[in-house]
Amino acid sequence: MSAPAAKVSKKELTNSPSEALETSEKEQQEAIERIDEVQSEIDKLNEQASAEILKVEQSYSQLRQPFFQKRSEWIARIPDFWVTTLVSHPQMSSLLGDEDEEALRHLTRIDVIEFEDVKSGYRIDFYFGENPYFENKVISKEFRLEEGGDLASKATEIHWKSGKDLTRRPNQILIKGGRKRFLEEPDSFFTWFSDHADAGADELGEVIKDDIWLNPLRYYLVSDLDNEEAVGEDGDEEEAFEESDGDGEASEEGDDGGEGNEVEDRGENTGQND
């Protein structure tokens, strides 16, 4: 005869689910606390890594300076190097009007100066030769991290020559059908120097510092490649034209020959009839 089954009290049946739930919640809470402790250790390591990376960046920033200087000396030997480079850059080219390009033909040098604490900001210096647009020899724009953590900017005031202020260009007038229409001109590139509304969202400064400045030669060479392709296309068109022209001449000669044969045939027929 089997032993009688153990009796479970109604109280035990009632409390078991809630106790299990309590245990589960306690385990989850403990797990969250342990995760938070581990995450704190990870964050400390990340802060240490950032500090070490900053030291390395500062060290290499100093090491790069003599090479930047040597590069600038070689660039100075190439006419229109910087305007060609800027016009060939996909983002910069969309910001440059014809008069901007003319002004930038006098741009002789660009320097990017990172502050001692590279995270605190940088300055971009544009050097110009004598030009018909402004008096400045150097125009700079600076970005600096403020104490509150926001990025602020300031720039050199441009001293425009009379009637040459590209940031205040009048709208063009198009006369069509006897009616005058005003065409809105796009903002000049030089308006960037006076735009300090939202320095944190200033993409142009980042493009110059982190892309163009680091390797301007690749954008300068883009222009050469485009010119070579254009010359190649022109050459292909000329060859195609010469070939088609030669075919035309051959066709004309063939036609002339056919006419001569036809005349001879007629002569022979006439002689036979006589």
Side-chain angles (χ1 to χ4, degrees), residues 209-233:
K209 177 176 76 76
D210 296 331
D211 189 8
I212 296 174
W213 166 248
L214 291 181
N215 188 359
L217 185 61
R218 65 175 173 173
Y219 293 110
Y220 176 81
L221 294 177
V222 166
S223 176
D224 285 344
L225 290 174
D226 289 343
N227 290 337
E228 287 177 9
E229 289 177 2
V231 170
E233 289 174 0

